[in-house]
Amino acid sequence: TQQPVSQMVNAGDDPSFTVLATGTGPLTYAWEKVVKPAPIPVGGNTNTLVFNDVSALEAGSYRVKVSNATGTVATSATVTLGVTSPPLIV
């Protein structure tokens, strides 16, 4: 019922993506980072994917697949996590 939203954050922040879904429960959530050749599973089995102390390595596209016991699967919109780093004087 609510898609996750793309974000641009600073390195070191703690961003999160949240999806709200309805259906016959229990619902399971499978977050993934969208990369080729195949998506990489990330995060836990909740409706919110949380990043702690985010770095540029975590920047990219993400989505979540929501399913229930009947095997019905819904895939969220793909969203982007952008991570900026402050300038450094070396």
Side-chain angles (χ1 to χ4, degrees):
T1 60
Q2 179 180 324
Q3 297 284 345
V5 177
S6 294
Q7 298 180 46
M8 178 65 73
V9 298
N10 293 316
D13 285 352
D14 299 327
S16 63
F17 292 125
T18 299
V19 67
L20 296 178
T22 60
T24 303
L27 300 178
T28 59
Y29 302 86
W31 289 93
E32 54 191 24
K33 186 172 185 180
V34 182
V35 295
K36 293 187 179 189
I40 300 170
V42 295
N45 185 24
T46 67
N47 71 319
T48 301
L49 174 61
V50 178
F51 299 88
N52 294 306
D53 193 24
V54 73
S55 73
L57 295 175
E58 293 159 307
S61 299
Y62 293 84
R63 66 184 177 206
V64 63
K65 292 184 178 179
V66 183
S67 58
N68 64 13
T70 65
T72 303
V73 177
T75 303
S76 73
T78 299
V79 293
T80 301
L81 176 64
V83 180
T84 61
S85 297
L88 296 175
I89 298 174
V90 292

